[in-house]
Amino acid sequence: MRRKLAAGNWKMNGTGAELAEVRTICDTHQGAGVEILLCPPATLLHRLSEAASSAIATGGQDCHKAENGAHTGDISAGMLADAGASYVILGHSERREDHEETDQDVREKARAALAAGLKVVICVGETLEERDAANTLDIIAGQLAGSIPDAVTGDTLVIAYEPIWAIGTGKIPTLDQIGEVHDFIRSRLEQRFGSGVGRSARILYGGSVKPGNAAEIFGVSNVDGALVGGASLKATDFSPIIEALEKA
Ligand code: PGA
């Protein structure tokens, strides 16, 4: 019942030369049985949205909480939508760390994104110290409670569980650990929003998803897809991940 989602986060990578990768992904996955989302740097969003056709949705990697105004260097949710985006990633751990974004900031940005008609991919995840101290579920509970605005619907809310220690490191949690957190997130969403929204919001796993480990991760309960960093930059890496999700 939940449409599976293969999302790519290009982070601060990619120029016009990489649009060829997007065309390859589009050609290969026209009519795919899963939803495909690419979130390039803002400079590429418009061109990528035009190159991507209807086979691929596009999104931003952050937005400002205000509609417009004196915020040099920032981009509003409405501007992302105007450039062709239908999603925005919010609260990625790199934003939380590099820009000291708090749960409250993420919630306000998400509110602005929803008002502009965007769907939100809200990221949560623990550090290795927090996992070692057996605090993972408390940390996730706090981030969910603080970062998600009340106005979400089952269609507009996507949660990405990204253990910080698994991002870009080649390490991933055990499948049991992934399942435990995804089941926990599902139950928290149902508790807060009721079973309608709680059961239809999608929950992605992110952190070192590769062609070699995607299938086993997609077999875990309540994993509705992936948020992929490094392996989303090349069609030869991203395509097998999309195919594994189609088969899951
Ligand atoms: P990675 O990044 O796949 O390169 O580990 C995932 C992410 O940060 O979204």
Side-chain angles (χ1 to χ4, degrees):
M1 70 173 184
R2 290 186 294 272
R3 184 139 196 251
K4 298 202 161 96
L5 177 59
N9 172 14
W10 281 15
K11 309 189 179 186
M12 199 172 73
N13 298 292
T15 59
E18 274 68 41
L19 292 175
E21 298 293 326
V22 178
R23 291 191 195 98
T24 306
I25 294 168
C26 283
D27 292 347
T28 315
H29 299 286
Q30 201 72 45
V34 300
E35 187 174 3
I36 303 168
L37 167 65
L38 282 178
C39 300
T43 47
L44 270 187
L45 185 56
H46 187 246
R47 272 187 289 168
L48 198 149
S49 299
E50 299 215 313
S53 74
S54 58
I56 297 184
T58 61
Q61 300 175 6
D62 173 52
C63 70
H64 197 275
K65 66 181 180 186
E67 262 180 66
N68 48 46
H71 303 289
T72 301
D74 278 316
I75 296 177
S76 74
M79 291 168 184
L80 295 176
D82 182 53
S86 48
Y87 282 85
V88 60
I89 298 170
L90 292 170
H92 189 283
S93 60
E94 287 151 16
R95 299 278 327 165
R96 290 179 188 262
E97 193 178 319
D98 294 354
H99 300 271
E100 295 173 2
E101 284 186 10
T102 64
D103 289 334
Q104 180 64 29
D105 294 328
V106 176
R107 190 186 188 109
E108 287 172 16
K109 288 171 178 222
R111 219 180 270 135
L114 294 167
L118 297 177
K119 301 178 187 189
V120 293
V121 180
I122 295 179
C123 302
V124 297
E126 82 286 1
T127 63
L128 194 53
E129 294 68 41
E130 288 161 347
R131 175 159 285 279
D132 288 346
N135 283 337
T136 298
L137 298 184
D138 286 345
I139 293 294
I140 302 294
Q143 290 173 337
L144 291 173
S147 305
I148 308 174
D150 292 329
V152 291
T153 63
D155 184 46
T156 54
L157 176 64
V158 179
I159 299 293
Y161 168 54
E162 300 206 304
I164 295 169
W165 51 275
I167 295 176
T169 59
K171 293 183 204 147
I172 62 166
T174 65
L175 300 181
D176 283 349
Q177 288 172 329
I178 295 175
E180 180 190 32
V181 176
H182 279 242
D183 289 349
F184 177 76
I185 293 172
R186 177 74 60 213
S187 74
R188 282 295 157 130
L189 295 179
E190 286 184 24
Q191 243 174 45
R192 176 166 162 199
F193 296 105
S195 56
V197 174
R199 285 191 199 146
S200 45
R202 289 167 292 177
I203 308 173
L204 311 182
Y205 169 78
S208 296
V209 176
K210 307 286 175 206
N213 61 21
E216 58 179 18
I217 293 171
F218 295 149
V220 175
S221 106
N222 278 310
V223 173
D224 301 311
L227 181 55
V228 184
S232 70
L233 291 166
K234 292 259 170 280
T236 45
D237 291 328
F238 199 38
S239 276
I241 295 173
I242 296 168
E243 278 154 22
L245 188 60
E246 285 186 290
K247 287 190 201 128

